[in-house]
Amino acid sequence: MRKQQEKYWLLLSTATALGLPPRDSANAEMFEHAEWEVGFDIIVVQLYEFDIRITESFFQQAEAVAREINLPPESYNFLRPLVQPFCHA
């Protein structure tokens, strides 16, 4: 359970760093109460609603978390268009 909780906090932390608004970050803290699906939904839906660009790594992280809590791909695959293309600096 502890390892699972750490993955969720990392997902939330990364989403916040990508630009998830503070209000939504606070609302997604339902992870503390084992409301994994609700917290996950808040994160991914708000990223989508605010059209926040994400990394491929974040998408894969969300995919892994969704699998762990038995959510179908439909619960996060709408994020795919938000993945930033890789750019060489």
Side-chain angles (χ1 to χ4, degrees):
M1 176 76 126
R2 179 133 173 102
K3 180 118 174 125
Q4 186 178 35
Q5 193 173 25
E6 288 173 12
K7 287 182 181 183
Y8 298 125
W9 280 111
L10 180 59
L11 183 73
L12 178 57
S13 174
T14 305
T16 301
L18 289 169
L20 185 68
R23 180 191 73 227
D24 296 314
S25 292
N27 288 338
E29 289 183 10
M30 294 183 179
F31 291 142
E32 288 183 1
H33 307 290
E35 295 289 341
W36 314 115
E37 292 178 24
V38 175
F40 180 85
D41 189 58
I42 290 169
I43 292 168
V44 298
V45 168
Q46 291 309 104
L47 287 171
Y48 179 80
E49 289 295 322
F50 285 107
D51 196 32
I52 295 170
R53 299 291 165 216
I54 62 172
T55 62
E56 178 64 31
S57 175
F58 178 83
F59 183 83
Q60 291 173 0
Q61 191 179 5
E63 187 174 46
V65 169
R67 268 195 311 264
E68 280 194 27
I69 55 177
N70 299 314
L71 293 175
E74 296 79 33
S75 66
Y76 63 87
N77 64 4
F78 53 85
L79 291 178
R80 175 54 76 187
L82 298 176
V83 175
Q84 302 176 49
F86 178 73
C87 297
H88 294 288

